[in-house]
Amino acid sequence: MSLYDFNAIYINLKVEKLSKNEYLLKYASVSSQENYYDDRLKIIDEEISKDRVIGKLILQKNGKAELQWIGLYNMKKQKLEFVGNDFLLIKENGGKTL
């Protein structure tokens, strides 16, 4: 999953089935990260919670999927990161998660 376009961050996810059509997403690790800009968000793997839910994927009957994004919880800073426009999917889709 791509998080931020300035530093080209991709993460691996853990997917847990919640119900027939709902899945919880959790952070697993950094897949790749290119640090083009020092003043932009980056991921330090050991600072991100691997236990907190970062989003929910809901499969719709019409064949579409809805992503309810929460963000990554930075344990060191004790706050969510990669929320809103810092999440590339939301930025590219005009604030929509569908």
Side-chain angles (χ1 to χ4, degrees):
M1 179 177 284
S2 174
L3 290 180
Y4 202 64
D5 60 348
F6 290 106
N7 278 327
I9 299 170
Y10 298 88
I11 63 169
N12 296 316
L13 301 172
K14 291 186 276 186
V15 180
E16 297 176 4
K17 191 168 189 167
L18 183 62
S19 69
K20 181 179 177 183
N21 63 339
E22 295 181 320
Y23 298 86
L24 296 178
L25 306 176
K26 293 183 179 181
Y27 173 81
S29 63
V30 172
S31 177
S32 68
Q33 180 170 216
E34 295 293 333
N35 295 322
Y36 299 119
Y37 299 93
D38 289 332
D39 62 335
R40 301 293 181 165
L41 283 171
K42 298 178 199 114
I43 292 178
I44 299 172
D45 192 59
E46 56 274 359
E47 292 180 3
I48 304 300
S49 172
K50 292 176 175 60
D51 298 318
R52 288 200 179 208
V53 174
I54 63 172
K56 185 194 295 187
L57 186 65
I58 303 167
L59 304 179
Q60 306 289 327
K61 291 181 182 179
N62 62 5
K64 293 185 178 185
E66 177 184 352
L67 175 62
Q68 296 176 347
W69 181 252
I70 298 167
L72 302 181
Y73 185 74
N74 186 313
M75 297 179 297
K76 183 176 180 182
K77 296 177 184 176
Q78 296 188 353
K79 70 175 195 168
L80 286 173
E81 295 182 320
F82 297 96
V83 294
N85 281 340
D86 291 335
F87 180 52
L88 187 56
L89 180 68
I90 293 174
K91 180 185 274 189
E92 289 180 343
N93 289 298
K96 298 176 185 171
T97 58
L98 259 182

